[in-house]
Amino acid sequence: MRDVTHDVPAPDRRTFLKRTGVLGMAVASLSSCSWGPESTIDPGGSGGGDRTLTAVIGYGNDGTWDPTQTASAFSMAANHHIYEGLLDTDPISREPYAALATRVPGNLDGTSWRFTLRQGATFHDGKPVTADDVVFVFDRILDPGTQTLAKGFFASWLKEVRKIDARTVELVLRFPFPEGVSRLTLAKIMPKHVFSRPGAWDDAIKGLAVGSGPYRQTAHHPKSNTTFEAFADYNGPRGPAFKKMNWLTIVDAAPRVARISGSSAGAQIADNIPYANIEQLRSGGLSVAGAAGMNNLFLMFNTRHKPFDDVRVRQALHYAIDTEKMVEVALKGHGTPASSFLNEGNPSYRRAKTVYDHDPEKAKALLKEAGVSGLKVDILAVNVSWIVDCLPTIKQSWDAIGVRTTLSPQETTAVFTKMDQKQDYQVVAAASNPNQFGLDADLIMRYNYGPTNLWMGYTRWAGDPVAKQLFRDMDRATREPDPEKKTTMIQDYIDVVAQQAVLYPVVHNELMTAWDPRSLSGTRAQPYPGINLLQAKWV
């Protein structure tokens, strides 16, 4: 999922994927590629500090690994271990700390931030990190002719990045924007001498990763596993605690649980734990903890496919869903029906003026008012395990109001490849969590809405007059210097997003992580997909 201009021509599939790499997932055709030496599925059984940490990730590793493009849960989590930003943020508190830079700026209300790079910082190939590398990355992000996800997080407030000397850079802001300091972790610094070569960005999509972080990638096998090794020359703030790591990608719930429990156990940590397995894992001696945030099941409508151009139809289908039943049955109580685009724990949360409480009679009335009858809907859905668990409730709810519903769960790569190819569809059900990028509401909303946003390309809604006014309101809110006024302005335009229901959450849910406390300490569950082991260590 990147912030891109959507109506650019795509002369061929390879060029199109190069430019769009959606959700970090539009590269299914690259699944035969691998980087580094062959690696085995090491169960982590060797003793002492030299043993391999094995992790199980419930998301695919076959999405783009380009840090300026990716929203893939697997590759984003891995990239936080491989790369550094000028500043990075704590995975739980999201407080910024100095990473490649030597300090966090003291004055965040100015329009210029200056950073000095850490003395002796080197990339994994031994070359020093320089100001030229920093400028190279930010130039790519801010280049109007280069479509990246990161552009949507920076271009509205960051004017340019200048080289002062070999180890010093200056960020020039368009206006004071204190929130931007936490976004610097999204600009991972990449070696210019590697990624300026012809074809290198294609290689980054496929899995090539060379950073300055505490771990270097040693092998990458899409749909199987990715391996890492401690970077011996790392001299930054959060050093490697594990000599080697092996991250397995296991999307199906049952084998994922099996790899961390019982006779098949071989992993020390796993994310995306099914709610039905929590007590089983705890009884086996594992720690299982959850964290609530923006993780959500959303519905996305194709507004050029009638009757979904009619807001009443979109609203009707939301009102029809028995969200309380979905939380109880599919999520085992680990979730809440959406009452805003933002989750209730977000600092900018306010209950939306339009809340889709279960109201089948209102849903029927809206369909009748829109002149719609005999509607048949095919839900194109991702096969993430908890999403699949939620789909039957949607079907039962829509069938109950006379909407004949079929379910078509597919691999995430397949779903979003269809979106990239602009294939026709009616409704998509998928998982999203903008908290991967941060907590501030401006970032979250720009990730999903905006005139050049990828999601707006999928919904075919950006040209709607309501959308155009929404985008203007978003820009005004971004520039508002008063924090309280800014929050109110964001809450007001979120009311518009709720009322339009073009791309909108159905439920927000809690994400569960399990680990072996006999092996690991310093582990924390995070409220977004993936894991972060930068403060974990062997017991």
Side-chain angles (χ1 to χ4, degrees):
M1 306 167 187
R2 308 153 327 289
D3 208 48
V4 303
T5 300
H6 301 91
D7 294 325
V8 292
D12 59 62
R13 177 66 176 157
R14 182 175 179 274
T15 301
F16 191 58
L17 287 178
K18 173 183 175 182
R19 295 164 77 173
T20 61
V22 53
L23 189 63
M25 300 181 213
V27 288
S29 62
L30 303 173
S31 60
S32 62
C33 300
S34 62
W35 298 94
E38 290 295 321
S39 71
T40 61
I41 308 299
D42 188 332
S46 58
D50 289 343
R51 66 189 188 277
T52 297
L53 180 137
T54 300
V56 183
I57 309 298
Y59 304 88
N61 73 338
D62 57 337
T64 176
W65 282 63
D66 175 358
T68 71
Q69 298 279 36
T70 192
S72 158
F74 193 110
S75 58
M76 280 197 71
N79 282 343
H80 283 309
H81 297 73
I82 296 170
Y83 293 98
E84 297 176 282
L86 290 170
L87 306 179
D88 282 325
T89 58
D90 183 85
I92 307 301
S93 72
R94 313 313 283 269
E95 286 295 316
Y97 63 88
L100 269 173
T102 56
R103 64 179 183 86
V104 178
N107 177 20
L108 298 182
D109 294 320
T111 56
S112 174
W113 298 337
R114 187 167 287 201
F115 295 96
T116 299
L117 298 179
R118 187 175 72 236
Q119 182 72 41
T122 61
F123 289 112
H124 297 156
D125 61 1
K127 300 291 180 64
V129 182
T130 70
D132 289 328
D133 301 302
V134 178
V135 173
F136 168 71
V137 169
F138 278 101
D139 280 353
R140 171 174 168 80
I141 290 172
L142 297 175
D143 180 5
T146 302
Q147 306 308 328
T148 63
L149 169 62
K151 183 183 280 87
F153 303 143
F154 291 96
S156 63
W157 59 274
L158 182 60
K159 182 179 180 181
E160 64 176 318
V161 176
R162 301 170 178 167
K163 174 183 176 180
I164 304 301
D165 58 39
R167 290 181 51 231
T168 309
V169 296
E170 181 183 24
L171 275 61
V172 181
L173 281 59
R174 299 181 185 277
F175 48 85
F177 192 68
E179 298 95 325
V181 71
S182 293
R183 299 189 189 183
L184 295 182
T185 188
L186 304 175
K188 298 301 187 188
I189 306 307
M190 308 170 73
K192 179 179 179 180
H193 64 273
V194 172
F195 290 99
S196 62
R197 298 180 308 204
W201 291 113
D202 277 342
D203 290 340
I205 289 173
K206 300 172 190 176
L208 176 65
V210 181
S212 62
Y215 294 94
R216 65 183 187 88
Q217 185 197 81
T218 52
H220 175 58
H221 306 291
K223 299 185 182 296
S224 172
N225 69 307
T226 303
T227 63
F228 312 83
E229 186 174 88
F231 178 40
D233 293 330
Y234 180 74
N235 67 348
R238 297 192 175 183
F242 310 106
K243 185 174 182 180
K244 294 182 179 180
M245 298 194 298
N246 185 25
W247 289 19
L248 314 178
T249 170
I250 305 179
V251 177
D252 292 340
R256 185 167 65 253
V257 171
R259 283 309 298 255
I260 198 170
S261 63
S263 59
S264 299
Q268 290 79 46
I269 185 170
D271 79 337
N272 196 16
I273 296 299
Y275 306 118
N277 296 106
I278 293 174
E279 293 309 317
Q280 167 205 341
L281 295 178
R282 284 176 175 163
S283 65
L286 298 181
S287 295
V288 185
M294 266 295 294
N295 208 65
N296 67 86
L297 180 158
F298 67 86
L299 295 181
M300 177 174 68
F301 292 93
N302 180 356
T303 61
R304 289 187 189 168
H305 188 124
K306 290 184 178 297
F308 308 110
D309 59 332
D310 192 321
V311 64
R312 294 168 295 186
V313 176
R314 302 193 297 266
Q315 289 180 339
L317 293 176
H318 270 280
Y319 277 119
I321 299 173
D322 190 342
T323 51
E324 294 287 353
K325 179 181 178 181
M326 181 181 288
V327 168
E328 177 185 357
V329 175
L331 304 181
K332 310 299 182 188
H334 294 273
T336 56
S339 56
S340 166
F341 197 96
L342 301 176
N343 63 296
E344 294 180 8
N346 188 281
S348 298
Y349 168 83
R350 183 182 74 189
R351 184 176 171 87
K353 290 182 178 178
T354 305
V355 177
Y356 296 102
D357 295 323
H358 184 218
D359 193 339
E361 294 308 314
K362 187 169 186 176
K364 292 178 185 177
L366 284 167
L367 289 176
K368 183 177 181 180
E369 183 182 326
V372 173
S373 61
L375 182 61
K376 299 178 181 179
V377 177
D378 180 67
I379 302 177
L380 181 62
V382 301
N383 67 343
V384 174
S385 55
W386 72 269
I387 294 288
V388 173
D389 291 341
C390 290
L391 293 177
T393 301
I394 300 179
K395 173 176 169 54
Q396 292 163 11
S397 298
W398 288 1
D399 286 345
I401 63 166
V403 176
R404 294 176 58 186
T405 308
T406 56
L407 305 175
S408 299
Q410 301 175 22
E411 284 194 3
T412 303
T413 48
V415 171
F416 285 95
T417 294
K418 292 178 180 180
M419 299 295 99
D420 279 344
Q421 293 174 339
K422 299 187 184 299
Q423 293 185 22
D424 189 36
Y425 74 97
Q426 293 177 296
V427 185
V428 164
S432 179
N433 195 328
N435 286 165
Q436 291 182 110
F437 307 106
L439 292 179
D440 79 83
D442 178 273
L443 178 153
I444 289 169
M445 298 312 298
R446 286 188 176 277
Y447 172 65
N448 289 280
Y449 282 86
T452 60
N453 183 284
L454 185 67
W455 295 107
M456 294 299 95
Y458 292 162
T459 62
R460 283 80 153 165
W461 190 61
D464 188 282
V466 177
K468 291 180 178 180
Q469 182 58 51
L470 171 67
F471 305 148
R472 289 191 288 269
D473 292 342
M474 293 175 71
D475 287 339
R476 287 193 306 109
T478 299
R479 289 179 172 271
E480 173 56 51
D482 183 272
E484 290 187 8
K485 288 183 179 178
K486 174 179 285 191
T487 297
T488 299
M489 293 167 73
I490 291 172
Q491 291 168 338
D492 287 346
Y493 75 64
I494 288 177
D495 284 339
V496 176
V497 169
Q499 188 268 341
Q500 289 294 309
V502 172
L503 186 159
Y504 201 71
V506 176
V507 290
H508 292 103
N509 72 314
E510 188 177 18
L511 290 175
M512 310 301 296
T513 303
W515 65 91
D516 185 352
R518 297 158 296 191
S519 298
L520 296 180
S521 67
T523 305
R524 297 177 289 172
Q526 59 190 36
Y528 49 95
I531 57 175
N532 187 299
L533 299 171
L534 295 181
Q535 292 180 296
K537 60 184 179 180
W538 291 120
V539 171

